[in-house]
Amino acid sequence: LTVVTKITITSQPVDFSGAVGDMATFTVEATGNSDLTYQWQYQNVGTSYWQNSSQSGNQTATLTVPITAARDGQKYRCVITDADGNTVASNEASIFVE
């Protein structure tokens, strides 16, 4: 008997606009039939690779990032993993500096 674990993202992160000094918040919601873990990642403007975030909440469903001029256009996503090692990545969301 093989049990297939399926992770379903029920709420995707959305773009965040704010002023320098504000805090951007990205949230993801997911369901699965085993313990889920979260790892937020970011992609700098002009690059094609993702890096694990070290910002507040980087291993939870909600990430908080201080807005700086250098983060204008920076993308974020969350990689969700279940106890069996299955992973799914959320949609990308970006920070836009107002």
Side-chain angles (χ1 to χ4, degrees):
L1 177 67
T2 301
V3 177
V4 176
T5 302
K6 182 171 172 73
I7 303 167
T8 302
I9 295 178
T10 57
S11 179
Q12 296 280 357
V14 296
D15 292 346
F16 193 96
S17 295
V20 170
D22 287 349
M23 298 297 282
T25 302
F26 299 103
T27 302
V28 65
E29 293 178 12
T31 59
N33 62 1
S34 61
D35 293 333
L36 300 179
T37 60
Y38 301 86
Q39 177 62 64
W40 286 91
Q41 298 179 327
Y42 67 94
Q43 185 181 78
N44 289 319
V45 175
T47 66
S48 60
Y49 57 91
W50 291 94
Q51 302 176 73
N52 287 345
S53 174
S54 61
Q55 298 295 325
S56 178
N58 67 322
Q59 293 183 340
T60 70
T62 301
L63 178 72
T64 305
V65 180
I67 298 177
T68 65
R71 288 196 171 112
D72 189 30
Q74 195 172 56
K75 296 177 184 177
Y76 290 83
R77 72 177 183 185
C78 188
V79 176
I80 303 165
T81 306
D82 66 19
D84 297 322
N86 299 303
T87 63
V88 65
S90 72
N91 291 346
E92 301 169 1
S94 298
I95 289 178
F96 296 105
V97 177
E98 294 177 335

